[in-house]
């Protein structure tokens, strides 16, 4: 009893199936491969404590058999086979892969999860696996809360968060708050076809199944309540300013940030508008600017973000950043889903309080002198006008206030000039760096010619 399958297709499938193999597990099912052949199709399945995945493909040969073998032994046999058409033969209880004989595993039980009576079905769009891959960088696999180690599915789509960042990708789903474990094996398939999502509840808890033409993935839902992430998204009324740029400018900024050295612990990167139509990015001693469009008041306003957060924002393809007044989350759109994060805290600089001088006491003395001198003036028959005397303490206080104002103005002007000089120096360094890179590129082109 012999069948033939496409060796290259099966070899690629084994890479994804191997993600569920636990070679250190004492349970035989977690390091075995189930092979089932019937009705002109052959299925290869692996499983882990919480997941199970099956690859289905067409085969040549009307043969029905079922066996469980070691995953590593089967994979090595497939790799050592030379022909494109892989021959599998069930020979009296053993499995023959080409010229190699594999013995089945004994004492291994394999059960496929049964769907409940009340099963919710949702249609998944094409490239839904790519959406899981885009959301996976925000999954915190070291978080003590199990529910934050997975991806949340609800009627508003796919959501992930690590406590500092949040990504929501809108996909209409017929499911109420279901959190699946991070589907590494499913993402490894890199399939682009559409599929269906089925969710149900049985005696052990929540379960789901994602099925496409060639793949079936089962998983147990993670226990716990996912955070109410909808409260984190700022309302549109609170977003008072925004900056947007072209995708090409975002790629240019991403390349610049990858060359910026880390500045622990926060790796700050400051975004601000220095002149109309240009977004400046200041990261330590490095500086660049890109063309951008601004909405709202950006005078004396800047956004300070973590470098790695800004890199993740750009890697998702976002081209628009909206911010509120104060220390509130920012919203990035234009790429995959909606990206929300908290900017770094920037304490407000308080102006020095003016020095309080005791001016009340001299005024009281002056008033007493006027009261005493009043009866004396009435005695004189022809009083001459007495010139009004100026208190020296009041004149001194007035001079100090004027001096303080001039000093503050000079300090502000000095700060502006210092900032412009620093920007000019950074631009000059950037031009020199670009010149060196261009020169090297020309030399490489000459060598290639």
């Amino acid at each position: 009893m012999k069948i033939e399958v496409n060796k290259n297709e099966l070899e690629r499938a084994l890479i994804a199936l191997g993600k569920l193999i636990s070679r250190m597990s004492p349970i035989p099912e977690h390091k075995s491969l189930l092979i089932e052949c019937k009705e002109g199709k052959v299925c290869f399945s692996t499983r882990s404590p919480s997941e199970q995945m099956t690859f289905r493909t067409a085969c040549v040969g009307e043969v029905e058999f079922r066996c469980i073998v070691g995953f590593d032994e089967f994979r090595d046999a497939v790799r050592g086979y030379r022909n494109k058409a892989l021959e599998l033969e069930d020979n009296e209880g053993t499995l023959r892969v080409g010229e190699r004989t594999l013995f089945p595993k004994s004492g291994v039980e394999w059960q496929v999860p049964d769907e409940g009576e009340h099963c919710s079905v949702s249609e998944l769009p094409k490239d839904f696996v790519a959406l899981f891959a885009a959301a996976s960088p925000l999954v915190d696999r070291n978080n003590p809360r199990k529910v934050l180690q997975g991806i949340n599915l609800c009627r508003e789509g796919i959501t992930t968060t690590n406590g500092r960042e949040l990504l929501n990708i809108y996909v209409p789903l017929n499911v109420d708050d279901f959190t699946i474990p991070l589907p590494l094996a499913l993402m490894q398939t890199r399939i682009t076809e559409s599929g269906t999502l089925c969710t149900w509840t049985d005696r052990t808890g929540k379960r789901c199944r994602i099925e496409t033409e060639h793949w079936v993935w089962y998983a147990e839902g993670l226990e716990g309540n996912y955070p109410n992430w909808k409260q984190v998204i700022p309302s549109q009324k609170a977003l008072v300013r925004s900056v947007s740029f072209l995708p090409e400018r975002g790629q240019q900024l991403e390349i610049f940030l990858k060359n910026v050295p880390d500045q622990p612990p926060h790796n700050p990167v400051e975004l601000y508008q220095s002149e109309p139509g240009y977004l400046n990015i200041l990261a330590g001693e490095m500086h660049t600017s890109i063309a951008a469009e601004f909405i709202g008041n950006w005078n004396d306003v800047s956004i300070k973000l973590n470098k790695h957060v800004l890199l993740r924002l750009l890697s998702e393809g976002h081209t628009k950043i909206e911010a509120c007044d104060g220390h509130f989350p920012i919203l990035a759109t234009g790429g995959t889903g909606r990206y929300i994060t908290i900017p770094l805290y920037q304490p407000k600089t308080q102006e020095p309080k003016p020095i309080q001088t005791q001016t009340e006491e001299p005024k009281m003395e002056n008033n007493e002198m006027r009261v005493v001198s009043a009866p004396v003036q009435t005695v004189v028959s022809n009083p001459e006008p007495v010139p009004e005397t100026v208190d020296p303490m009041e004149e001194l206080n007035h001079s100090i206030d004027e001096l303080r104002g001039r000093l503050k103005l000079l300090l502000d002007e000095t700060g502006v000039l210092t900032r412009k000089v620093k920007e000019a120096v950074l631009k000059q360094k950037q031009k020199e760096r670009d010149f060196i890179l261009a020169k090297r590129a020309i030399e490489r082109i000459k060598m290639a010619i």
Side-chain angles (χ1 to χ4, degrees):
M1 295 186 294
K2 185 186 297 185
I3 62 172
E4 292 183 358
V5 295
N6 189 309
K7 183 223 173 184
N8 294 334
E9 187 181 25
L10 177 58
E11 201 168 12
R12 289 192 298 269
L14 288 176
I15 298 175
L17 292 171
K19 293 293 183 181
L20 300 185
I21 295 298
S22 177
R23 294 168 178 82
M24 303 301 293
S25 175
I27 303 176
E29 291 92 331
H30 297 165
K31 44 189 175 183
S32 302
L33 177 71
L34 171 64
I35 305 176
E36 292 180 297
C37 181
K38 58 181 178 180
E39 299 178 357
K41 288 188 177 182
V42 58
C43 301
F44 302 88
S45 304
T46 56
R47 65 185 306 177
S48 70
S50 60
E51 301 175 55
Q52 178 175 322
M53 191 161 69
T54 300
F55 171 68
R56 302 181 297 193
T57 185
C59 64
V60 179
E62 296 295 332
V63 178
E64 293 188 6
F65 68 89
R66 182 179 190 271
C67 65
I68 300 175
V69 296
F71 178 84
D72 291 338
E73 292 85 348
F74 182 84
R75 183 194 58 189
D76 294 341
V78 172
R79 288 178 177 176
Y81 196 75
R82 298 295 181 183
N83 298 332
K84 292 184 179 179
L86 179 65
E87 295 182 353
L88 302 179
E89 183 180 358
D90 185 16
N91 187 10
E92 297 180 358
T94 62
L95 179 68
R96 191 175 180 85
V97 183
E99 300 297 330
R100 188 167 176 178
T101 302
L102 303 180
F103 294 92
K105 294 285 186 179
S106 59
V108 178
E109 298 181 359
W110 203 289
Q111 296 179 354
V112 177
D114 295 329
E115 297 183 8
E117 297 179 358
H118 304 286
C119 180
S120 300
V121 181
S122 303
E123 296 294 330
L124 295 175
K126 292 184 177 181
D127 296 330
F128 71 92
V129 172
L131 300 180
F132 285 150
S136 62
L138 273 73
V139 175
D140 188 0
R141 302 184 67 184
N142 298 321
N143 197 292
R145 295 178 61 188
K146 279 288 185 181
V147 73
L148 291 182
Q149 297 181 20
I151 296 178
N152 181 257
L153 306 179
C154 63
R155 298 186 183 275
E156 286 76 17
I158 302 169
T159 307
T160 54
T161 180
N162 56 13
R164 301 173 299 276
E165 308 160 71
L166 186 144
L167 179 65
N168 172 249
I169 305 173
Y170 178 72
V171 178
L173 300 175
N174 183 25
V175 59
D176 293 325
D177 198 16
F178 191 96
T179 305
I180 62 174
L182 184 63
L184 292 175
L186 187 61
M187 290 189 296
Q188 183 63 46
T189 62
R190 299 177 183 176
I191 54 178
T192 57
E193 57 195 34
S194 59
T196 58
L197 167 68
C198 299
T199 58
W200 70 94
T201 303
D202 58 13
R203 292 177 300 174
T204 59
K206 296 181 179 180
R207 291 182 178 271
C208 74
R209 173 176 58 85
I210 294 178
E211 183 174 0
T212 64
E213 182 181 357
H214 295 94
W215 293 92
V216 182
W217 180 75
Y218 293 93
E220 297 178 3
L222 298 180
E223 297 180 358
N225 295 324
Y226 205 77
N228 191 356
W229 54 270
K230 301 173 190 177
Q231 296 181 350
V232 180
I233 300 179
S235 63
Q236 198 62 38
K237 294 181 180 179
L239 300 170
V240 296
R241 62 180 58 88
S242 66
V243 55
S244 56
F245 42 83
L246 296 176
E248 296 80 9
R249 301 303 180 188
Q251 295 174 3
Q252 174 186 344
L253 179 56
E254 189 175 357
I255 295 173
F256 164 76
L257 291 173
K258 289 180 179 178
N259 295 323
V260 173
D262 287 344
Q263 301 177 26
H266 301 299
N267 300 314
V269 176
E270 187 174 5
L271 311 179
Y272 61 94
Q273 180 187 19
S274 62
E275 52 184 290
Y278 283 93
L279 174 66
N280 279 21
I281 299 90
L282 183 62
E285 296 182 354
M286 300 184 67
H287 172 273
T288 189
S289 61
I290 59 173
E293 181 180 354
F294 295 85
I295 297 178
N297 181 20
W298 282 84
N299 296 328
D300 300 328
V301 175
S302 65
I303 300 176
K304 188 174 288 187
L305 298 173
N306 182 284
K307 182 190 77 170
H308 300 290
V309 168
L310 184 57
L311 271 172
R312 189 171 292 118
L313 183 152
L314 296 171
S315 66
E316 299 288 349
H318 296 297
T319 57
K320 184 177 182 180
I321 302 175
E322 299 177 87
C324 311
D325 280 330
H327 189 63
F328 293 98
I330 65 170
L331 173 64
T333 54
T336 304
R338 297 180 294 177
Y339 180 87
I340 296 94
T341 186
I342 295 287
L344 296 178
Y345 179 66
Q346 302 183 61
K348 295 182 179 180
T349 55
Q350 297 182 354
E351 297 183 359
K353 295 182 178 180
I355 302 174
Q356 295 182 357
T357 56
Q358 298 179 357
T359 57
E360 297 181 358
E361 189 173 350
K363 289 181 179 179
M364 291 177 64
E365 295 179 357
N366 191 17
N367 292 337
E368 291 179 1
M369 291 176 62
R370 291 180 180 177
V371 171
V372 173
S373 59
V376 177
Q377 290 181 2
T378 54
V379 177
V380 182
S381 58
N382 295 323
E384 295 182 0
V386 180
E388 184 178 357
T389 58
V390 179
D391 189 7
M393 293 300 295
E394 289 185 359
E395 186 177 2
L396 178 61
N397 292 333
H398 183 68
S399 302
I400 291 174
D401 293 338
E402 290 183 353
L403 178 61
R404 187 183 297 110
R406 288 196 296 268
L407 288 175
K408 184 179 179 182
L409 182 61
L410 289 174
L411 287 174
D412 293 341
E413 293 178 354
T414 305
V416 173
L417 291 175
T418 304
R419 190 171 183 175
K420 289 183 178 180
V421 170
K422 191 173 182 180
E423 291 178 359
V425 172
L426 292 173
K427 285 183 179 179
Q428 183 63 29
K429 289 182 179 179
Q430 186 67 30
K431 289 181 180 178
E432 293 176 357
R433 193 179 296 106
D434 294 341
F435 175 76
I436 294 172
L437 293 175
K439 186 177 180 181
R440 291 177 180 174
I442 293 172
E443 291 176 355
R444 287 195 296 268
I445 294 173
K446 289 180 179 179
M447 292 176 64
I449 295 175

